[in-house]
Amino acid sequence: MSGHPDFLFVALGLLFGAVAGSFLATLLIRWPQGRSVIAGRSRCDDCGAPLGPRDLVPLLSYAALHGKCRRCGGRIDQRHLAAELAAAAIGLVALIAHPLPLALVTMLLGLWLLLLAMLDVEHHWLPDRLTLPLIPLGLLAAWAGFGPPLLDRAVGAALGWAALALMAFAYRRLRGREGLGGGDAKLLAAVGAWLGGPQLPFILVGAGLLGLAAALLMRLRGHEVTRTTRLPLGALMAVAAWPVWLVVAG
């Protein structure tokens, strides 16, 4: 499909993104708790009542129920709403920015990075089961002709890992404590595998600027910010990476 997408096409992107966001929210809540993501029915977090189909329509159910459980009136976890809105926006932007089939690749990358960002913000956790597969997927996308050349991306994967791994090693030697998690280096390797080596400085600068903005917001909200305040570097890199992909892949 070429040219500007029509209304139905865009609506499908919104719908698919919202449905994917509902699943991502379930992953975000259940996975760190060691609970199965696919087994068992969805239930209210407060009263435990099983949720029916009309309670599980992404975005619309939340709006119709005013963010509360139909049975007990307890608040629905707002992580569901946040994930569905973010994923719907990813679906919308992907289908506006790129033609098919590239739009599907763009959407997949955006949703994958969204889950990583959410996990890092909430748990400071970048699971290997998400970061490592993203590396061969990026190289596979290059082989299929989507985005920057394969060689640039293979080099980007190696440089991305090496840059943060060396930075973490140097910080540990100088400060005597961990400054970067191992998942950060693996994620930057994955970002390099998608965007290529020349884009990595932009990702790091973008993540740094986003981190400064986050620290400033924390200060404005009355939170103390010190040299030891932890910021989710992985989430910052993920947020910086997807817009760059929109440009370099187009």
Side-chain angles (χ1 to χ4, degrees):
M1 183 173 181
S2 60
H4 297 288
D6 59 27
F7 175 79
L8 178 60
F9 193 62
V10 170
L12 287 174
L14 281 168
L15 175 62
F16 181 84
V19 171
S22 181
F23 177 69
L24 295 185
T26 302
L27 272 172
L28 174 65
I29 294 169
R30 294 187 184 183
W31 191 4
Q33 298 174 353
R35 297 163 55 197
S36 172
V37 176
I38 57 176
R41 293 185 60 182
S42 297
R43 297 179 179 274
C44 171
D45 294 325
D46 286 337
C47 67
L51 303 179
R54 61 177 178 168
D55 301 314
L56 297 172
V57 180
L59 297 178
L60 297 182
S61 291
Y62 188 96
L65 295 171
H66 304 289
K68 296 181 180 180
C69 173
R70 184 187 306 277
R71 295 160 183 81
C72 70
R75 297 293 300 178
I76 298 173
D77 194 322
Q78 291 194 344
R79 287 176 290 184
H80 288 285
L81 177 63
E84 289 168 9
L85 283 172
I90 287 171
L92 172 65
V93 173
L95 290 176
I96 291 177
H98 294 153
L100 288 173
L102 175 58
L104 298 179
V105 177
T106 298
M107 192 184 307
L108 172 65
L109 176 61
L111 295 172
W112 204 300
L113 291 174
L114 173 61
L115 179 57
L116 281 165
M118 293 189 300
L119 286 168
D120 198 30
V121 166
E122 186 163 334
H123 301 286
H124 290 282
W125 183 40
L126 296 169
D128 286 353
R129 283 191 283 178
L130 288 179
T131 56
L132 294 181
L134 204 53
I135 299 173
L137 282 175
L139 300 179
L140 180 62
W143 177 79
F146 300 119
L150 177 59
L151 180 59
D152 283 356
R153 289 157 76 161
V155 172
L159 288 177
W161 178 84
L164 286 194
L166 289 173
M167 192 180 300
F169 174 77
Y171 187 95
R172 187 166 56 247
R173 290 295 299 268
L174 291 172
R175 295 293 185 89
R177 58 186 175 85
E178 295 292 337
L180 293 173
D184 293 319
K186 295 169 187 174
L187 178 56
L188 191 57
V191 169
W194 279 85
L195 303 180
Q199 308 304 326
L200 292 181
F202 297 104
I203 302 306
L204 292 174
V205 170
L209 293 174
L210 289 171
L212 289 174
L216 177 59
L217 181 60
M218 292 170 64
R219 289 289 297 272
L220 292 175
R221 297 178 65 179
H223 298 289
E224 184 180 7
V225 178
T226 68
R227 290 184 300 174
T228 59
T229 299
R230 295 182 65 187
L231 291 175
L233 177 60
L236 299 172
M237 293 190 299
V239 172
W242 196 63
V244 175
W245 167 262
L246 291 177
V247 175
V248 301

